[in-house]
Amino acid sequence: ETTDDVVPAEFRWAQRKDRILLTIELQGVHDEKFEVTSEGVFRFSGAGSYRDQRDHVRRYTVDLQLLYGLNASDTSCGGLCESWRLHPREKTCKLAQDAPIWETCVLAAEIYNITHCEVNARDVTCVLIKSTRAPYWPHLLQGANRLKSMKVDWGKWLDEDKDGVRWNADVDRPWEWWKHDDEDEDEETDDVREEQRRRKEQFKKQKKKKKSS
């Protein structure tokens, strides 16, 4: 590890109506620290390197004042974290004892709705829950500041009108459209069946009447 001064780390960001998604582009991170406040402050520091500079390990930092506040009340993530840092995945995921060897562990569902960070082999990812679910923020930082080290994570970005909606990318329309269409077809099918039943009953009555006459 070099003894150079601490420098800002490059990161990507995306958002949903209820959260901010950060990815810090460092690999092999260790000696890391996180800080999150309800006033919207996010801080990270740790030693690591970029993928194209594996031998150049140094300390990096991310220091942000977000546009609005965050839900940072539970530093332990319900017992799965320590100071917002998720414990190693093998200690927090759930995997059946008789699961086949190709199965991978899956984090408990409750962790996804809690502010937390996870140190991976190739990056650091953070889920920062907004203090209130609201329309998309117009920008990430107070004062509309744009740091040289930040960029939009288009791989995780989702348009606001699609957030919370099951979207059918094949036709670029919500799945609800197909759902309602199916409901209309079901209603038409029920009407047809009712008409067939009515005609059948009518035929039986006519046939019974002829026999009795």
Side-chain angles (χ1 to χ4, degrees):
E1 181 178 335
T2 65
T3 57
D4 296 342
D5 294 337
V6 176
V7 296
E10 296 179 1
F11 68 94
R12 307 187 305 272
W13 76 283
Q15 68 173 315
R16 300 291 186 272
K17 293 177 181 177
D18 65 340
R19 67 193 61 200
I20 297 294
L21 307 173
L22 292 183
T23 301
I24 302 171
E25 301 178 349
L26 295 174
Q27 66 174 9
V29 170
H30 57 278
D31 192 23
E32 69 283 346
K33 294 180 180 179
F34 299 96
E35 180 183 354
V36 187
T37 73
S38 58
E39 290 76 24
V41 171
F42 171 80
R43 293 190 180 98
F44 157 83
S45 64
S49 64
Y50 292 114
R51 295 183 187 180
D52 57 349
Q53 301 175 2
R54 295 183 179 181
D55 296 330
H56 190 60
V57 178
R58 63 188 303 174
R59 290 202 64 80
Y60 291 91
T61 184
V62 176
D63 193 342
L64 307 176
Q65 174 59 66
L66 304 185
L67 182 61
Y68 299 120
L70 297 171
N71 187 338
S73 58
D74 187 0
T75 63
S76 69
C77 309
L80 299 177
C81 297
E82 182 176 348
S83 297
W84 298 285
R85 198 272 199 208
L86 196 65
H87 293 313
R89 185 172 285 255
E90 61 270 16
K91 294 183 180 180
T92 56
C93 65
K94 296 180 179 179
L95 187 63
Q97 293 182 351
D98 57 347
I101 59 174
W102 57 82
E103 287 286 348
T104 57
C105 63
V106 179
L107 291 176
E110 56 267 21
I111 194 63
Y112 290 105
N113 294 319
I114 300 176
T115 292
H116 69 277
C117 294
E118 184 174 9
V119 178
N120 308 299
R122 296 195 174 191
D123 58 25
V124 176
T125 57
C126 293
V127 176
L128 309 178
I129 303 299
K130 298 177 180 179
S131 58
T132 57
R133 181 181 176 88
Y136 275 24
W137 296 359
H139 38 263
L140 180 64
L141 305 178
Q142 284 189 4
N145 294 331
R146 180 172 176 80
L147 306 176
K148 292 182 179 180
S149 57
M150 65 183 285
K151 56 186 176 182
V152 175
D153 191 342
W154 295 114
K156 292 184 178 180
W157 192 271
L158 186 68
D159 291 341
E160 185 172 3
D161 59 353
K162 297 181 181 179
D163 186 13
V165 177
R166 293 179 63 244
W167 200 266
N168 186 333
D170 293 335
V171 294
D172 198 27
R173 298 182 72 172
W175 273 108
E176 280 72 10
W177 176 76
W178 291 103
K179 179 180 178 181
H180 295 325
D181 188 61
D182 290 343
E183 289 176 351
D184 292 340
E185 290 182 359
D186 290 342
E187 291 176 359
E188 292 178 0
T189 301
D190 291 340
D191 292 340
V192 171
R193 289 174 180 171
E194 178 62 24
E195 178 64 20
Q196 291 176 342
R197 188 193 65 77
R198 188 185 64 80
R199 290 182 179 181
K200 189 174 182 180
E201 290 295 327
Q202 186 177 13
F203 175 77
K204 287 183 179 180
K205 288 181 181 179
Q206 291 177 350
K207 188 174 182 180
K208 186 176 182 180
K209 186 175 181 181
K210 286 182 180 179
K211 285 185 178 180
S212 60
S213 57

